[in-house]
Amino acid sequence: MAVMVALGAFLMTLAGGWTAQRVTDRRHLVLGLAGGLMLGVVGLDLLPEALAAAGGPEHDVFGVPLALLLFVAGFLVAHVVERLLAVRQAAHGAENGGRVPQVGLTAAAAMVGHSVADGVALGAAFQVGGGMGVAVALAVITHDFADGFNTYTLTSLYGNARRKALLMLFADAAAPVAGAASTLLFTLPEEPLGAYLGFFGGILLYLAAAEILPEAHHKHPALSTLMCTLSGVAGIWLVVGLAD
């Protein structure tokens, strides 16, 4: 059942990527929406799940939940990686308008890893029971549209060819199916999943706040761009509310 539901996530991811590439003539609106979707996923979905899965105060590290420490670590790692790649690119005289293609591929690869975790969470939920499985399935399928949208947008934003963006999109679409199928072989403890979600949330927040949203408003500081960002956050809020 989990694998069958993951096939629905596969289609939703492709739909999100298809939408992102069809509206390239409104790039600032696409980026504004992508930034809003990522902010919503981080603040309303990933962090609450990470804190819930990471356990109680007994798992804190020097008074701070491990998931939050890894959230900050993910933000800093994303920043350091981007700076190192940018310096390396500049040293070889091959800057691409300040954008480093490897950063886009790395970010998209992180999205693929997150989608694998989505599939694992889906399979684990069905191991617990049918009701839990249905709730998680709703969340995974609906927000995988945002995952596909963001994967294609991130890859192309940093100057990668359309072929690479499509390859990362298909990898992201197949990832939940692979993750769900893997749960036929093992049972995943909650604590490692919470740590991963916190770390990944930090990476996404950096990309949204430091890269995507500034780029969206750089040449088109329009009210429509801001409304797209707010719509992205509101859409994830709606998805989370329906899933609960």
Side-chain angles (χ1 to χ4, degrees):
M1 177 62 71
V3 175
M4 293 299 295
V5 172
L7 291 174
F10 174 89
L11 296 176
M12 285 295 288
T13 303
L14 292 181
W18 180 85
T19 301
Q21 62 178 307
R22 293 292 294 180
V23 291
T24 52
D25 57 330
R26 294 290 184 267
R27 185 168 177 267
H28 60 291
L29 299 180
V30 172
L31 293 176
L33 179 60
L37 290 171
M38 292 172 74
L39 286 175
V41 167
V42 171
L44 307 178
D45 186 19
L46 289 181
L47 274 184
E49 286 186 21
L51 291 171
E58 66 275 8
H59 297 285
D60 290 359
V61 179
F62 205 63
V64 178
L66 177 60
L68 289 184
L69 285 176
L70 289 173
F71 172 76
V72 175
F75 187 98
L76 293 175
V77 166
H79 176 62
V80 170
V81 167
E82 184 191 35
R83 290 298 89 205
L84 290 176
L85 289 174
V87 169
R88 178 184 177 187
Q89 195 87 343
H92 288 80
E95 290 193 64
N96 181 25
R99 299 292 172 182
V100 183
Q102 291 93 327
V103 173
L105 292 175
T106 301
M111 295 295 295
V112 174
H114 171 58
S115 294
V116 171
D118 276 349
V120 172
L122 182 61
F126 274 101
Q127 288 177 0
V128 173
M132 176 67 73
V134 171
V136 173
L138 177 62
V140 168
I141 289 177
T142 48
H143 95 251
D144 269 3
F145 179 88
D147 284 354
F149 190 99
N150 291 333
T151 297
Y152 186 90
T153 301
L154 283 170
T155 309
S156 57
L157 172 64
Y158 284 86
N160 290 283
R162 182 173 180 271
R163 179 180 61 84
K164 289 185 178 180
L166 289 175
L167 285 174
M168 296 308 298
L169 174 63
F170 276 98
D172 189 47
V177 182
S182 70
T183 59
L184 300 175
L185 306 175
F186 68 92
T187 301
L188 180 70
E190 276 194 324
E191 288 78 8
L193 180 60
Y196 162 77
L197 291 175
F199 184 79
F200 181 69
I203 294 175
L204 280 191
L205 180 63
Y206 177 82
L207 293 172
E211 296 294 328
I212 291 182
L213 289 178
E215 178 70 13
H217 292 275
H218 177 59
K219 294 182 179 179
H220 298 276
L223 178 61
S224 57
T225 306
L226 177 60
M227 294 306 297
C228 283
T229 302
L230 295 176
S231 297
V233 175
I236 295 299
W237 188 9
L238 177 63
V239 168
V240 171
L242 291 175
D244 289 342

